Amino acid sequence: MKPIIGIAGNETVMMDSDSHWISYTPKNFVTGLQQAGGIPLILPIGDPDEADRYVTGIDKLLLAGGQDIDPSYYGQLPDQKLGGTNPDRDRFELALIKAAIRQQKPILGVCRGMQLLNVAFGGTLYQDLSLRPEKALKHVQVPTPFHQPTHSVTIAKDSLLAAFLPTEAAYQVNSFHHQTVAEPAPELAVIATAPDGVIEGLENRERRILGIQWHPELTCADIKKEQQIFDYFVTQL
Ligand SMILES: [Mn+2]
């Protein structure tokens, strides 16, 4: 039976109208999961008290990209470089993570999703790449097209990703993030790193939790190995 993959949704306003809000997820997550043999189900931002019910109805949870996370969740005040936040989304997704852990359901976190996993497990973020002590590479690759990889990552040999991604040679990924993991949570292993030391992958194998900083949903139609990330999540994690 095909697994149901809950995708934590986002909200945006249509046509600059205060009253025309929509709940959504990027369609490429939907098609990537469908290609992998999953049944995607978008979970709109809602009451954290309902998170357990939502997770009961899914087999696995996908956390997508989006807004910056409220830095109060990792003990910081807002820096001038902090981007837009959505407190309702933070609250709901943190509740979804707790529920998925409680119900022992696998989680894939992408970009913000990986950063939120780190925060949920007690790790911290840099609110902007410029706040790292070391100089960073270009991690917001705009105007380069979204599906083109622009920087490399080194994948750890004993990681979940090593089942299908190369660990000997550097692996090329796309990049759309201005924030980054600072202190990884104690329960999460660092499994992918960019040449500048930026953390691009985290996992907890026992809990079947995987986080990646890049965006396979934007590359999976063109690059087979990127589609394999969704294949692995849907069929194996
Ligand atoms: Mn990057």
Side-chain angles (χ1 to χ4, degrees), residues 139 151 174-175 177 200 213:
H139 287 273
H151 74 66
N174 64 3
S175 201
H177 58 109
E200 297 263 344
Q213 184 57 70

